[in-house]
DNA sequence: GTGAAAGCGCTAACAG
DNA sequence: CTGTTAGCGCTTTCAC
């Protein structure tokens, strides 16, 4: 039923090995026989069995894409769709396939990674998330299995190839921007406090505030989840402050969406009462109401570079791979304005 | 270097075939030897080579997930993340892996599908989108390769297993809801007019309007893209009408987001000037500003059922598979209200 | 430039 | 219940 390399060989009057060489376009085969064999392959509508190939080959031409546990709220972040677009663009071009690795919880994800790696289903791995004490990273490192991380590692920074933005710098820029626009009392709302992104963006914010002589109290730093309830809690914590901030730095657009909506419920309007600047410039940022002022972190490129990196790591294992910092850019839209009643600042 | 089934066999003093049977947990092996072999597998940290397995087996325990071309704007629709969550939930439980199939354009997607199918990398396929004259569906059908479609097929409905909502009924409900709330002049804004979802939702809308004695002119039916410009065009077309509608049925939450935002720019406020009801109840629907009144189509379940269907199709090919209609539910939130100035209707 | 033959790591009759 | 043996479909030395 299934037509194999032998069928092609027979019909083309060559040996199976010759057909194999034609498939991999070996230079040791004459153009003439290549043409002949290819013609037969077409006639027979032959397609190589990739499992057999991988087995003989020890190469799968696929890479594993590790996503956060599907039950995590973060799974829905448009961030992932966009990284995947970037990854796909390059890997498709290089004819690599993508294996989708996730699970309902962290344990499951790890099990799947191990099964996939040891089962030789993939040649390399792209980690689309990392958290503190990530056993997956440890596993891959110990087994010297090729992988790259989108984001920044918590430890062994020197040993891990990662693709990331300079989140600290981006956050400094954002804060500077707000300060330049007359804001002095600024709050910070972040997602999961254990994520390095959150930490770095917070640090950039705090440092910049301090450098400009503004203080930030603990109550003005809030961590919350990506739900409406999360937004609600964050806002009510904000409302308890004796003086409302005139601006908020929010670490993610989805978060910002929730915050804005809840603020509006309290008839606090954005940006006239409070300015908001968020991060990621998600696809809906410009569709939001008002459109979000957000830091474009080039998610697509993050994915593209990750793909490029892992593939070159697979194909040239000896080359030393450098981690990559992808540039960012603040996109000013409708959620941020100058604070007019502070003329002294514009001096 | 790599440790194989033979190593395990030798160390456990059994034949390789016995080890193989232990791996697949064959009932023909005694508990005692199973324990013995498993112990050795642990000691040696053995993991089966899945390619070898698939080759000998003619089964991969993986299924291919076909996404729309990555360059399509629809790729970003949160819809996909949520279906995938549903698919993952079931397939993980059944220990199936997911192969990610997409490309930069339709041609590429099709090529990848063929390569993956003929390369025997997957046992079945879940199509996450379909369009008119879809050659992928034809290919799979002709080759009798197991697949299910999330959505509704354009032709050969009888021959294709699909998982879908009753979009026509849902749309009728939505329109009825608006009419019940006093709206008489209602517009319709849809995404890609070639998609069957769009068509069915439009049909439900039109039929309901007609049945209630309201007319819908062509200018009140608009098709647009998922971008801010799309929203802008749609709104400006709306503004050209001599009389503004008091409500709009929008086929997708993302679209609704854009429309609302552009309306606001024109100081037309939602819902006080115009009510909006959209579809899908995307994850951000409740985070939006105002929160979206939207039809919950149970995206997660759509994915879950698709996964269940394809896996049972793979494992019991003779069973006849029935297509599944997943129920929907209108979730009323902040974008829709009663039109007060029409007392006559409430009689 | 091409062929013959061994083998990748596993499973599946068939025997016993 | 377990072992022997012959592949699964491809690649890769090693010859010639």
């Amino acid at each position: 039923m299934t037509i194999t390399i032998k069928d092609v060989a027979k019909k083309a009057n060559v040996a199976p090995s010759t057909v194999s060489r034609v498939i991999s376009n070996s230079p040791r085969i004459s153009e003439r026989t290549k043409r002949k064999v290819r013609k037969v392959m077409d006639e027979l509508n032959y397609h190589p069995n990739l499992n057999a190939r991988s087995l003989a080959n020890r190469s799968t031409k696929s890479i594993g894409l590790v996503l956060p546990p599907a039950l995590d709220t973060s799974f829905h972040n448009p961030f992932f769709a966009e990284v995947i677009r970037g990854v796909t663009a390059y890997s498709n071009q290089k004819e690599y396939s993508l294996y989708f690795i996730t699970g309902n919880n962290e344990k499951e994800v790890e099990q799947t990674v191990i099964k996939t790696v040891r089962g030789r289903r993939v040649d390399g791995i792209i980690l689309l998330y990392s958290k503190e004490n990530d056993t997956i990273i440890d596993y891959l490192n110990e087994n010297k299995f090729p992988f790259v991380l989108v984001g920044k590692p918590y430890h062994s920074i020197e040993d891990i190839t990662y693709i990331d933005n300079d989140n600290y710098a981006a956050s400094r820029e954002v804060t500077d921007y707000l300060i330049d626009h007359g804001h002095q009392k600024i709050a910070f709302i972040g997602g999961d406090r254990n994520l390095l992104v959150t930490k770095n963006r917070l640090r950039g914010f705090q440092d910049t505030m301090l450098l400009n002589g503004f203080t930030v109290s603990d109550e003005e730093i809030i961590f919350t989840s990506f739900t409406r309830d999360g937004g609600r809690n964050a806002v009510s914590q904000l409302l308890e402050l004796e003086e409302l901030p005139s601006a908020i730095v929010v670490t993610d657009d989805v978060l910002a969406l929730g915050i804005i909506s809840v603020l509006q419920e309290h008839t606090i309007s954005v940006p006239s009462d409070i300015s908001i600047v968020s991060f990621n410039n998600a696809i809906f940022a410009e569709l939001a109401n008002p459109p979000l002022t957000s830091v474009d972190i080039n998610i697509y490129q993050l994915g593209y570079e990750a793909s490029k990196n892992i593939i070159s790591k697979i194909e040239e294992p000896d080359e030393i791979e450098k981690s990559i910092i992808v540039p960012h850019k603040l996109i000013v839209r409708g959620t941020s304005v100058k604070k007019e009643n502070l003329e002294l600042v514009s001096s």
Side-chain angles (χ1 to χ4, degrees), chain A:
Chain A
M1 194 61 244
T2 35
I3 100 122
T4 77
I5 215 173
K6 282 187 185 169
D7 302 318
V8 177
K10 199 169 292 171
K11 183 150 184 210
N13 276 319
V14 293
S17 50
T18 303
V19 179
S20 171
R21 291 186 183 106
V22 173
I23 293 174
S24 53
N25 199 19
S26 156
R28 305 189 345 196
I29 300 288
S30 73
E31 273 310 316
R32 205 167 143 275
T33 45
K34 271 188 189 170
R35 265 199 302 279
K36 185 174 65 179
V37 170
R38 289 208 180 104
K39 186 156 163 279
V40 175
M41 282 173 29
D42 269 2
E43 285 168 16
L44 262 42
N45 191 16
Y46 167 79
H47 281 257
N49 181 316
L50 300 175
N51 296 308
R53 219 167 174 210
S54 295
L55 182 58
N57 229 351
R58 290 124 189 302
S59 134
T60 63
K61 282 273 207 172
S62 6
I63 78 190
L65 216 53
V66 181
L67 283 109
L71 293 183
D72 257 44
T73 48
S74 68
F75 188 82
H76 284 103
N77 202 302
F79 175 85
F80 294 107
E82 186 64 2
V83 218
I84 290 176
R85 267 192 61 226
V87 172
T88 304
Y90 189 78
S91 63
N92 250 53
Q93 179 186 325
K94 294 288 268 183
E95 306 222 273
Y96 273 72
S97 312
L98 294 184
Y99 233 88
F100 202 81
I101 305 178
T102 181
N104 293 319
N105 50 58
E106 279 175 15
K107 193 86 214 123
E108 242 183 76
V109 177
E110 190 187 351
Q111 289 308 324
T112 314
V113 168
I114 296 178
K115 200 178 91 182
T116 311
V117 166
R118 298 292 312 267
R120 304 204 172 283
R121 273 247 159 100
V122 297
D123 298 338
I125 291 251
I126 298 179
L127 290 173
L128 257 29
Y129 80 109
S130 81
K131 41 166 209 46
E132 220 157 353
N133 305 118
D134 194 337
T135 45
I136 297 179
I137 291 193
D138 294 341
Y139 176 82
L140 296 174
N141 250 342
E142 280 164 21
N143 289 270
K144 305 204 183 313
F145 194 82
F147 77 98
V148 305
L149 169 66
V150 175
K152 213 182 290 312
Y154 285 82
H155 56 76
S156 326
I157 284 225
E158 298 305 320
D159 305 332
I160 297 175
T161 310
Y162 61 90
I163 321 287
D164 199 10
N165 306 101
D166 188 341
N167 281 305
Y168 176 76
S171 188
R172 294 209 46 167
E173 248 173 84
V174 160
T175 315
D176 271 331
Y177 160 80
L178 287 171
I179 292 174
D180 281 353
H181 281 65
H183 298 278
Q184 305 196 337
K185 193 164 173 62
I186 309 177
F188 178 95
I189 301 184
D192 188 338
R193 70 200 316 156
N194 291 316
L195 288 178
L196 216 48
V197 228
T198 312
K199 290 183 179 169
N200 287 329
R201 289 178 183 168
L202 173 58
R203 214 157 41 76
F205 166 71
Q206 287 176 311
D207 287 1
T208 311
M209 288 296 275
L210 232 63
L211 277 167
N212 283 273
F214 302 127
T215 52
V216 183
S217 69
D218 285 355
E219 296 80 47
E220 288 165 325
I221 296 172
I222 303 171
F223 301 99
T224 184
S225 68
F226 283 63
T227 60
R228 191 174 191 84
D229 278 347
R232 217 179 289 282
N233 292 338
V235 169
S236 60
Q237 190 169 333
L238 230 46
L239 293 175
E240 280 169 18
L241 297 172
E242 48 204 75
E243 187 195 347
L244 224 55
S246 72
I248 314 177
V249 173
V250 182
T251 58
D252 187 280
D253 295 329
V254 178
L255 225 50
L257 223 53
I259 308 271
I260 293 171
S261 185
V262 177
L263 282 174
Q264 219 96 16
E265 281 178 11
H266 290 273
T267 65
I268 298 167
S269 118
V270 175
S272 48
D273 296 326
I274 293 188
S275 283
I276 289 189
V277 181
S278 52
F279 285 84
N280 294 5
N281 193 30
I283 206 77
F284 60 76
E286 67 155 359
L287 294 176
N289 174 29
L292 308 179
T293 293
S294 182
V295 178
D296 184 355
I297 59 167
N298 277 309
I299 304 180
Y300 178 88
Q301 209 193 329
L302 241 29
Y304 192 88
E305 294 294 339
S307 185
K308 209 165 159 180
N309 237 271
I310 190 63
I311 290 178
S312 87
K313 223 178 199 176
I314 292 166
E315 298 186 341
E316 288 130 54
D318 298 329
E319 210 104 315
I320 37 158
E321 282 308 328
K322 296 184 301 281
S323 293
I324 291 178
I325 300 299
V326 170
H328 58 263
K329 186 163 184 286
L330 176 65
I331 312 282
V332 176
R333 296 204 186 84
T335 54
S336 63
V337 289
K338 229 182 182 106
K339 202 184 165 201
E340 305 91 343
N341 51 343
L342 273 172
E343 288 306 284
L344 50 151
V345 167
S346 60
S347 69

